[in-house]
């Protein structure tokens, strides 16, 4: 599929809003704005942000409508949180670690190196106490968070040379987000957080030597396979990163109870749809990459992976010590992760091994 076709996917995913006569209820329709950290219509992220906006309008019968703005249309991508916090717009769509400058504990609500998978993250947030901690972290900024899905396991990135030893990371200009970036910096890479819309041109112009974005669907849509040969999988730092809908707490408080529940329900529905969307299209895009035959797949060499894990542990220990809240979040997340590791060894990991050893059909 061509990049233009990918980026035009939002229209196909839009939800038709019923033409209900809100005036008959004696109500004035509420119009909100949603700023996003993504190029408008970008696969997975931009498309599902639009679906979420449309779903709120449809579920409310037009009583609450949301107009979406892509990255840069209201504010730059990494200023979406500020825009919601300061009342520039009522809603935003992004991922928590983009705003980690406000509080480093935000990293946990996207995901941390060697951390929770998408379904495990959803479990921690929904039933494991993660949501309450997330709300506590955002409360000082007047922002309320809602889980809005995940990309699933991400890719480690595109490289213009192979990574065989730790020495190959030294001086590597690497676009990588989140705590993974801090780990890579400590391992010798020169880390750059290029906005998503600039990754391709930065790679093409050799401004950066390597870049991680999301996974096959998004990466192919952005043309990264055209500017790098080696594709490393999986991402050690993004096992199941969370996407979020953020809402101004002050504006949310003004909504009637049923519209509040519609916002919650729309986010919940979009969370499931988003993961399904990424899962299907990553499988399809990966098959296309393999058929084209120009990409060389790689996994992290064991000494490199071991160093990543060691440094990740150090980074996470430092993060946990930054505040009382960070310590409580780290403890909650870490306890749940330990249980998830034990269960996944005998569930997902065992099933994948069994399926691959004995394919049926």
């Amino acid at each position: 599929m061509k990049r233009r076709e990918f980026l035009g996917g939002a229209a196909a995913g839009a939800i038709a809003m019923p033409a209900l006569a809100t005036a008959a209820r004696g109500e004035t329709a509420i119009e909100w704005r949603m700023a996003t950290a993504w190029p408008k219509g970008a696969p997975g992220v931009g498309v599902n942000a639009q679906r979420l906006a449309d779903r709120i309008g449809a579920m409310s019968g037009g009583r609450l409508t949301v107009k979406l703005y892509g990255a840069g249309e209201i504010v730059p991508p990494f200023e979406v949180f500020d825009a919601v916090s300061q009342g520039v717009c009522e809603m935003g769509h992004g991922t928590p670690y983009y705003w980690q400058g406000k509080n480093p504990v935000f990293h946990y609500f996207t995901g941390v190196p060697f951390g929770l998978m998408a379904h495990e993250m959803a479990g921690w947030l929904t039933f494991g106490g993660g949501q309450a901690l997330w709300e506590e972290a955002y409360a000082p900024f007047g922002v309320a968070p809602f889980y809005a899905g995940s990309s699933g396991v991400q890719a480690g990135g595109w490289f213009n040379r192979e990574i065989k030893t730790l020495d190959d990371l030294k001086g590597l200009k690497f676009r990588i987000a989140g705590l993974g970036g801090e780990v890579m910096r400590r391992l010798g890479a020169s880390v750059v957080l290029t906005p998503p819309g600039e990754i391709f041109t930065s790679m093409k112009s050799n401004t950066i030597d390597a870049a991680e974005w999301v996974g096959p669907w998004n990466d192919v849509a952005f043309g990264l396979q055209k500017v790098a040969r080696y594709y490393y999988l999986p991402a050690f730092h993004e096992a199941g990163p969370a996407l979020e809908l953020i809402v101004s707490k002050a504006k949310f408080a003004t909504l009637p109870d049923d519209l509040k529940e519609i916002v919650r329900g729309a986010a919940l529905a979009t969370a499931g749809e988003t993961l399904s969307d990424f899962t299907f299209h990553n499988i399809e895009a990966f098959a296309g990459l393999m058929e084209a035959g120009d990409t060389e797949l790689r996994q992290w060499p064991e000494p490199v992976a071991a160093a990543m894990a060691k440094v990740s542990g150090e980074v996470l220990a430092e993060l946990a010590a930054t505040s009382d809240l960070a310590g409580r979040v780290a403890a909650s997340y870490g306890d749940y992760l330990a249980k998830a590791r034990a269960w996944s060894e005998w569930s997902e990991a065992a099933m994948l091994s069994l399926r691959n050893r004995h394919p049926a059909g």
Side-chain angles (χ1 to χ4, degrees):
M1 188 174 286
K2 295 183 175 61
R3 181 175 185 272
R4 187 172 299 173
E5 292 172 337
F6 269 106
L7 297 181
I15 299 170
M17 185 184 298
L20 299 183
T22 58
R25 302 170 177 258
E27 300 176 57
T28 301
I30 302 168
E31 297 181 2
W32 278 6
R33 303 194 299 173
M34 178 194 289
T36 73
W38 329 109
K40 202 167 188 178
V45 284
V47 168
N48 283 288
Q50 184 66 65
R51 287 174 175 154
L52 176 51
D54 293 343
R55 180 170 280 118
I56 291 171
M59 290 173 67
S60 69
R63 293 166 58 213
L64 173 60
T65 60
V66 180
K67 181 172 176 59
L68 181 142
Y69 294 85
E73 290 187 319
I74 293 182
V75 293
F78 300 137
E79 295 179 17
V80 170
F81 187 90
D82 282 338
V84 176
S85 177
Q86 297 167 10
V88 175
C89 54
E90 294 81 9
M91 285 183 161
H93 190 279
T95 187
Y97 68 27
Y98 278 2
W99 344 117
Q100 59 84 27
K102 302 295 181 186
N103 188 332
V105 78
F106 289 7
H107 281 290
Y108 276 100
F109 304 108
T110 293
V112 298
F114 299 92
L116 297 170
M117 307 285 280
H119 59 292
E120 296 166 341
M121 184 70 168
W124 177 61
L125 290 173
T126 307
F127 298 106
Q131 180 67 36
L133 290 166
W134 194 8
E135 291 172 6
E136 183 179 348
Y138 278 18
F141 305 95
V143 174
F146 299 87
Y147 180 64
S150 174
S151 62
V153 177
Q154 293 204 358
W158 295 86
F159 294 73
N160 58 23
R161 66 174 186 262
E162 286 192 82
I163 305 300
K164 297 180 179 179
T165 70
L166 286 171
D167 287 340
D168 293 319
L169 296 177
K170 301 294 191 292
L172 183 82
K173 297 189 293 290
F174 189 13
R175 188 276 178 196
I176 178 171
L179 292 179
E182 177 59 18
V183 171
M184 281 295 187
R185 186 188 67 79
R186 296 189 187 195
L187 291 174
S190 177
V191 174
V192 182
L193 186 52
T194 307
E198 299 174 17
I199 297 174
F200 176 84
T201 54
S202 296
M203 282 288 288
K204 188 174 182 180
S205 65
N206 295 317
T207 302
I208 55 177
D209 304 310
E212 65 84 25
W213 172 212
V214 181
W217 183 24
N218 299 74
D219 294 357
V220 169
F222 277 44
L224 301 188
Q225 78 282 6
K226 300 176 183 177
V227 290
R229 177 180 178 184
Y230 300 103
Y231 198 24
Y232 278 76
L233 300 114
F236 74 94
H237 63 303
E238 293 185 315
L243 296 166
E244 65 179 355
L245 169 69
I246 53 176
V247 182
S248 162
K249 287 186 69 176
K251 290 292 185 180
F252 190 71
T254 66
L255 294 178
D257 288 346
D258 63 329
L259 289 185
K260 289 177 183 175
E261 194 58 34
I262 281 170
V263 171
R264 294 189 188 97
L268 183 62
T270 302
E273 186 173 40
T274 297
L275 181 57
S276 299
D277 202 9
F278 272 106
T279 300
F280 176 82
H281 285 102
N282 276 328
I283 289 170
E284 292 292 315
F286 185 76
L289 272 177
M290 296 303 92
E291 184 178 346
D294 299 323
T295 298
E296 295 195 30
L297 301 180
R298 295 289 187 273
Q299 291 186 336
W300 304 113
E302 186 54 32
V304 174
M308 289 172 171
K310 178 178 181 297
V311 175
S312 293
E314 296 168 357
V315 169
L316 290 172
E318 292 174 16
L319 172 55
T322 57
S323 67
D324 171 72
L325 175 60
R328 288 187 286 116
V329 173
S332 175
Y333 188 101
D335 289 348
Y336 178 75
L337 175 59
K339 295 173 185 176
R341 285 197 192 102
W343 168 235
S344 65
E345 182 179 353
W346 291 96
S347 55
E348 285 88 358
M351 184 64 236
L352 289 171
S353 176
L354 183 65
R355 186 177 73 177
N356 292 338
R357 283 186 287 117
H358 304 287

